[in-house]
Amino acid sequence: MKKVHLPLDKQTVKELKAGDMVEISGILYTARDAAHKRMIDMLKRGESLPFDIENQVIYYVGPCPAKPGYVIGSAGPTTSSRMDAYAPELIKLGLTGMIGKGLRSKDVISAMVQYGAVYFGAVGGAAALISKSIKKEELIAFPDLGTEAIRKLEVENFPAVVIIDSYGNNLYDIGREKYKII
């Protein structure tokens, strides 16, 4: 198990390999497709993003409201391909990590290799477990989006797997190849 401390610098990105099990600690941000679209629209208008994207990690999640006494409700990953139209531009601007579930497009993987970024997989169906690693939560942008608003999360030992590393190695492809029938 590798420990990853955020922000996620380029050296750490280079050291992570597809298949590595990690525990992530530090500050990350949440955003889903509606928030991604708004961020790209802001960039097109010459506006600053709601947070400094350089060396940051975005978790693709729309967490449930917190029950009394809890920091956050269930916080499982959403399907990452919904952000594929927007991710390459954010990677180009310095985004070094993304957390979600499912496949990524060739354009996203190319941007990851070109600019140095990694894609982590979080376990779908483990939302309650994942939420226990979230220690603080703060709404920072787009409150009208409800659960899809951008949040700043402080996480401790957030469990994930490196699905695609900065060299383009893809755990989904590696896994399929391993069990390929000749």
Side-chain angles (χ1 to χ4, degrees), residues 58 81 93-94 105 115:
I58 295 179
S81 62
L93 293 173
S105 72
Y115 299 105

Side-chain angles (χ1 to χ4, degrees), residues 9 20 23 32 38 41 77 88 93 106 110 119 142 169 180:
D9 61 71
D20 286 348
E23 288 183 337
R32 288 179 40 164
R38 284 196 188 174
D41 289 345
L93 293 173
K106 288 180 183 177
S110 293
Y119 172 53
F142 316 139
N169 299 308
K180 188 176 182 179

Side-chain angles (χ1 to χ4, degrees), residues 102-173:
L103 303 173
R104 302 310 303 265
S105 72
K106 288 180 183 177
D107 289 342
V108 172
I109 296 169
S110 293
M112 291 170 60
V113 171
Q114 182 175 358
Y115 299 105
V118 65
Y119 172 53
F120 299 102
V123 179
L129 173 66
I130 289 170
S131 68
K132 290 180 180 180
S133 69
I134 300 170
K135 304 304 178 189
K136 291 183 183 174
E137 179 260 350
E138 177 186 353
L139 178 80
I140 64 164
F142 316 139
D144 60 302
L145 294 179
T147 59
E148 293 197 33
I150 295 178
R151 289 173 168 74
K152 177 180 176 181
L153 302 182
E154 181 181 325
V155 298
E156 186 177 306
N157 299 324
F158 182 108
V161 177
V162 177
I163 301 296
I164 304 171
D165 62 30
S166 63
Y167 303 97
N169 299 308
N170 186 331
L171 188 59
Y172 294 136
D173 293 341

